[in-house]
mmCIF file of all heavy atoms in Angstrom:
data_model
loop_
_atom_site.group_PDB
_atom_site.id
_atom_site.type_symbol
_atom_site.label_atom_id
_atom_site.label_comp_id
_atom_site.label_asym_id
_atom_site.label_seq_id
_atom_site.Cartn_x
_atom_site.Cartn_y
_atom_site.Cartn_z
ATOM 1 N N LEU A 539 3.584 -0.288 -21.035
ATOM 2 C CA LEU A 539 3.911 0.693 -19.979
ATOM 3 C C LEU A 539 4.459 1.961 -20.580
ATOM 4 O O LEU A 539 4.105 3.038 -20.184
ATOM 5 C CB LEU A 539 4.927 0.123 -18.976
ATOM 6 C CG LEU A 539 5.413 1.056 -17.870
ATOM 7 C CD1 LEU A 539 4.320 1.479 -16.976
ATOM 8 C CD2 LEU A 539 6.563 0.387 -17.039
ATOM 9 N N THR A 540 5.279 1.860 -21.582
ATOM 10 C CA THR A 540 5.866 3.086 -22.244
ATOM 11 C C THR A 540 4.742 4.025 -22.767
ATOM 12 O O THR A 540 4.840 5.208 -22.707
ATOM 13 C CB THR A 540 6.831 2.720 -23.345
ATOM 14 O OG1 THR A 540 6.331 1.698 -24.134
ATOM 15 C CG2 THR A 540 8.201 2.320 -22.769
ATOM 16 N N GLU A 541 3.796 3.316 -23.423
ATOM 17 C CA GLU A 541 2.652 4.198 -23.951
ATOM 18 C C GLU A 541 1.842 4.792 -22.898
ATOM 19 O O GLU A 541 1.503 5.966 -22.976
ATOM 20 C CB GLU A 541 1.799 3.189 -24.837
ATOM 21 C CG GLU A 541 0.846 3.954 -25.664
ATOM 22 C CD GLU A 541 -0.048 3.054 -26.515
ATOM 23 O OE1 GLU A 541 0.419 1.878 -26.824
ATOM 24 O OE2 GLU A 541 -1.155 3.478 -26.901
ATOM 25 N N LEU A 542 1.630 4.044 -21.767
ATOM 26 C CA LEU A 542 0.888 4.587 -20.662
ATOM 27 C C LEU A 542 1.624 5.800 -20.036
ATOM 28 O O LEU A 542 1.022 6.846 -19.849
ATOM 29 C CB LEU A 542 0.737 3.460 -19.555
ATOM 30 C CG LEU A 542 -0.039 3.851 -18.290
ATOM 31 C CD1 LEU A 542 -0.809 2.584 -17.737
ATOM 32 C CD2 LEU A 542 0.904 4.421 -17.234
ATOM 33 N N LEU A 543 2.900 5.635 -19.876
ATOM 34 C CA LEU A 543 3.701 6.731 -19.340
ATOM 35 C C LEU A 543 3.628 7.973 -20.217
ATOM 36 O O LEU A 543 3.591 9.110 -19.747
ATOM 37 C CB LEU A 543 5.176 6.321 -19.046
ATOM 38 C CG LEU A 543 5.323 5.221 -18.071
ATOM 39 C CD1 LEU A 543 6.744 4.699 -17.978
ATOM 40 C CD2 LEU A 543 4.822 5.634 -16.634
ATOM 41 N N ALA A 544 3.737 7.727 -21.533
ATOM 42 C CA ALA A 544 3.794 8.885 -22.492
ATOM 43 C C ALA A 544 2.486 9.599 -22.597
ATOM 44 O O ALA A 544 2.490 10.798 -22.896
ATOM 45 C CB ALA A 544 4.268 8.349 -23.834
ATOM 46 N N GLN A 545 1.398 8.872 -22.348
ATOM 47 C CA GLN A 545 0.076 9.548 -22.621
ATOM 48 C C GLN A 545 -0.637 9.984 -21.372
ATOM 49 O O GLN A 545 -1.589 10.771 -21.518
ATOM 50 C CB GLN A 545 -0.846 8.494 -23.376
ATOM 51 C CG GLN A 545 -0.338 8.191 -24.741
ATOM 52 C CD GLN A 545 -1.440 7.471 -25.542
ATOM 53 O OE1 GLN A 545 -2.589 7.779 -25.339
ATOM 54 N NE2 GLN A 545 -1.029 6.651 -26.456
ATOM 55 N N SER A 546 -0.227 9.548 -20.169
ATOM 56 C CA SER A 546 -1.039 9.891 -19.007
ATOM 57 C C SER A 546 -0.717 11.142 -18.307
ATOM 58 O O SER A 546 0.415 11.551 -18.133
ATOM 59 C CB SER A 546 -0.851 8.699 -17.962
ATOM 60 O OG SER A 546 -1.273 7.508 -18.533
ATOM 61 N N ASP A 547 -1.747 11.859 -17.905
ATOM 62 C CA ASP A 547 -1.628 13.087 -17.135
ATOM 63 C C ASP A 547 -1.405 12.647 -15.678
ATOM 64 O O ASP A 547 -0.752 13.419 -14.871
ATOM 65 C CB ASP A 547 -2.846 13.941 -17.192
ATOM 66 C CG ASP A 547 -3.110 14.419 -18.677
ATOM 67 O OD1 ASP A 547 -2.288 15.039 -19.282
ATOM 68 O OD2 ASP A 547 -4.200 13.930 -19.201
ATOM 69 N N PHE A 548 -1.990 11.569 -15.275
ATOM 70 C CA PHE A 548 -1.749 11.017 -13.891
ATOM 71 C C PHE A 548 -1.362 9.558 -14.097
ATOM 72 O O PHE A 548 -1.955 8.869 -14.825
ATOM 73 C CB PHE A 548 -3.112 11.000 -13.144
ATOM 74 C CG PHE A 548 -3.661 12.414 -12.849
ATOM 75 C CD1 PHE A 548 -4.299 13.156 -13.815
ATOM 76 C CD2 PHE A 548 -3.520 12.878 -11.544
ATOM 77 C CE1 PHE A 548 -4.809 14.399 -13.567
ATOM 78 C CE2 PHE A 548 -4.093 14.201 -11.260
ATOM 79 C CZ PHE A 548 -4.670 14.906 -12.297
ATOM 80 N N VAL A 549 -0.371 9.152 -13.272
ATOM 81 C CA VAL A 549 0.012 7.724 -13.303
ATOM 82 C C VAL A 549 -0.176 7.262 -11.869
ATOM 83 O O VAL A 549 0.423 7.855 -10.887
ATOM 84 C CB VAL A 549 1.403 7.555 -13.759
ATOM 85 C CG1 VAL A 549 1.865 6.129 -13.530
ATOM 86 C CG2 VAL A 549 1.580 7.964 -15.237
ATOM 87 N N THR A 550 -0.901 6.199 -11.634
ATOM 88 C CA THR A 550 -1.090 5.739 -10.270
ATOM 89 C C THR A 550 -0.696 4.228 -10.204
ATOM 90 O O THR A 550 -1.012 3.419 -11.054
ATOM 91 C CB THR A 550 -2.594 5.961 -9.780
ATOM 92 O OG1 THR A 550 -2.740 5.493 -8.452
ATOM 93 C CG2 THR A 550 -3.626 5.262 -10.686
ATOM 94 N N LEU A 551 0.044 3.911 -9.134
ATOM 95 C CA LEU A 551 0.709 2.621 -9.068
ATOM 96 C C LEU A 551 -0.025 1.572 -8.137
ATOM 97 O O LEU A 551 -0.243 1.916 -6.963
ATOM 98 C CB LEU A 551 2.146 2.761 -8.580
ATOM 99 C CG LEU A 551 2.972 3.778 -9.288
ATOM 100 C CD1 LEU A 551 4.395 3.831 -8.643
ATOM 101 C CD2 LEU A 551 3.076 3.390 -10.777
ATOM 102 N N HIS A 552 -0.405 0.483 -8.698
ATOM 103 C CA HIS A 552 -1.161 -0.528 -7.891
ATOM 104 C C HIS A 552 -0.596 -2.004 -8.151
ATOM 105 O O HIS A 552 -1.264 -2.990 -7.918
ATOM 106 C CB HIS A 552 -2.633 -0.475 -8.161
ATOM 107 C CG HIS A 552 -3.140 0.891 -7.826
ATOM 108 N ND1 HIS A 552 -3.282 1.296 -6.505
ATOM 109 C CD2 HIS A 552 -3.394 1.987 -8.609
ATOM 110 C CE1 HIS A 552 -3.786 2.521 -6.553
ATOM 111 N NE2 HIS A 552 -3.789 2.976 -7.766
ATOM 112 N N ALA A 553 0.676 -2.056 -8.616
ATOM 113 C CA ALA A 553 1.273 -3.365 -8.891
ATOM 114 C C ALA A 553 1.801 -3.851 -7.578
ATOM 115 O O ALA A 553 2.238 -3.133 -6.664
ATOM 116 C CB ALA A 553 2.435 -3.229 -9.899
ATOM 117 N N PRO A 554 1.829 -5.188 -7.424
ATOM 118 C CA PRO A 554 2.483 -5.809 -6.212
ATOM 119 C C PRO A 554 3.965 -5.607 -6.288
ATOM 120 O O PRO A 554 4.554 -5.406 -7.374
ATOM 121 C CB PRO A 554 2.172 -7.297 -6.344
ATOM 122 C CG PRO A 554 1.839 -7.557 -7.799
ATOM 123 C CD PRO A 554 1.368 -6.265 -8.363
ATOM 124 N N LEU A 555 4.618 -5.525 -5.169
ATOM 125 C CA LEU A 555 6.138 -5.438 -5.128
ATOM 126 C C LEU A 555 6.755 -6.794 -5.320
ATOM 127 O O LEU A 555 6.496 -7.723 -4.471
ATOM 128 C CB LEU A 555 6.557 -4.771 -3.836
ATOM 129 C CG LEU A 555 8.104 -4.544 -3.717
ATOM 130 C CD1 LEU A 555 8.578 -3.610 -4.804
ATOM 131 C CD2 LEU A 555 8.458 -4.077 -2.346
ATOM 132 N N THR A 556 7.505 -6.930 -6.371
ATOM 133 C CA THR A 556 8.240 -8.203 -6.578
ATOM 134 C C THR A 556 9.637 -7.769 -7.147
ATOM 135 O O THR A 556 9.830 -6.580 -7.459
ATOM 136 C CB THR A 556 7.556 -9.020 -7.751
ATOM 137 O OG1 THR A 556 7.567 -8.219 -8.925
ATOM 138 C CG2 THR A 556 6.078 -9.328 -7.457
ATOM 139 N N PRO A 557 10.573 -8.751 -7.354
ATOM 140 C CA PRO A 557 11.811 -8.345 -7.936
ATOM 141 C C PRO A 557 11.669 -7.642 -9.265
ATOM 142 O O PRO A 557 12.380 -6.715 -9.616
ATOM 143 C CB PRO A 557 12.551 -9.677 -8.057
ATOM 144 C CG PRO A 557 11.959 -10.538 -6.976
ATOM 145 C CD PRO A 557 10.551 -10.163 -6.873
ATOM 146 N N GLU A 558 10.639 -8.052 -10.043
ATOM 147 C CA GLU A 558 10.418 -7.531 -11.358
ATOM 148 C C GLU A 558 9.859 -6.091 -11.348
ATOM 149 O O GLU A 558 10.076 -5.267 -12.213
ATOM 150 C CB GLU A 558 9.412 -8.292 -12.180
ATOM 151 C CG GLU A 558 9.960 -9.736 -12.579
ATOM 152 C CD GLU A 558 10.034 -10.683 -11.386
ATOM 153 O OE1 GLU A 558 9.104 -10.681 -10.503
ATOM 154 O OE2 GLU A 558 10.985 -11.449 -11.273
ATOM 155 N N THR A 559 9.130 -5.779 -10.235
ATOM 156 C CA THR A 559 8.483 -4.428 -10.182
ATOM 157 C C THR A 559 9.276 -3.389 -9.273
ATOM 158 O O THR A 559 8.939 -2.273 -9.205
ATOM 159 C CB THR A 559 7.056 -4.459 -9.693
ATOM 160 O OG1 THR A 559 7.045 -5.024 -8.384
ATOM 161 C CG2 THR A 559 6.143 -5.294 -10.539
ATOM 162 N N THR A 560 10.330 -3.880 -8.683
ATOM 163 C CA THR A 560 11.174 -2.935 -7.849
ATOM 164 C C THR A 560 11.764 -1.926 -8.835
ATOM 165 O O THR A 560 12.341 -2.204 -9.864
ATOM 166 C CB THR A 560 12.252 -3.795 -7.113
ATOM 167 O OG1 THR A 560 11.611 -4.719 -6.315
ATOM 168 C CG2 THR A 560 13.162 -2.846 -6.239
ATOM 169 N N HIS A 561 11.600 -0.659 -8.493
ATOM 170 C CA HIS A 561 12.061 0.441 -9.318
ATOM 171 C C HIS A 561 11.495 0.388 -10.720
ATOM 172 O O HIS A 561 12.179 0.813 -11.644
ATOM 173 C CB HIS A 561 13.649 0.531 -9.288
ATOM 174 C CG HIS A 561 14.153 1.134 -7.978
ATOM 175 N ND1 HIS A 561 15.424 1.511 -7.879
ATOM 176 C CD2 HIS A 561 13.541 1.351 -6.848
ATOM 177 C CE1 HIS A 561 15.603 1.967 -6.658
ATOM 178 N NE2 HIS A 561 14.476 1.885 -5.977
ATOM 179 N N LEU A 562 10.270 -0.054 -10.852
ATOM 180 C CA LEU A 562 9.610 -0.056 -12.113
ATOM 181 C C LEU A 562 9.559 1.433 -12.639
ATOM 182 O O LEU A 562 9.689 1.599 -13.837
ATOM 183 C CB LEU A 562 8.145 -0.572 -11.955
ATOM 184 C CG LEU A 562 7.301 -0.724 -13.162
ATOM 185 C CD1 LEU A 562 7.794 -1.844 -13.993
ATOM 186 C CD2 LEU A 562 5.858 -1.022 -12.756
ATOM 187 N N ILE A 563 9.376 2.335 -11.747
ATOM 188 C CA ILE A 563 9.409 3.722 -12.078
ATOM 189 C C ILE A 563 10.758 4.305 -11.701
ATOM 190 O O ILE A 563 10.990 4.736 -10.562
ATOM 191 C CB ILE A 563 8.202 4.499 -11.460
ATOM 192 C CG1 ILE A 563 6.926 3.852 -11.776
ATOM 193 C CG2 ILE A 563 8.256 5.998 -11.908
ATOM 194 C CD1 ILE A 563 6.548 3.824 -13.287
ATOM 195 N N ASP A 564 11.682 4.155 -12.675
ATOM 196 C CA ASP A 564 13.076 4.705 -12.427
ATOM 197 C C ASP A 564 13.286 5.924 -13.276
ATOM 198 O O ASP A 564 12.340 6.474 -13.859
ATOM 199 C CB ASP A 564 14.090 3.541 -12.793
ATOM 200 C CG ASP A 564 13.971 3.089 -14.181
ATOM 201 O OD1 ASP A 564 13.195 3.667 -15.002
ATOM 202 O OD2 ASP A 564 14.615 2.097 -14.562
#
Side-chain angles (χ1 to χ4, degrees):
L539 180 63
T540 44
E541 194 180 335
L542 180 148
L543 295 173
Q545 292 196 32
S546 299
D547 303 297
F548 294 78
V549 173
T550 181
L551 307 179
H552 300 285
L555 180 65
T556 65
E558 293 72 39
T559 61
T560 299
H561 285 192
L562 184 68
I563 305 299
D564 58 7

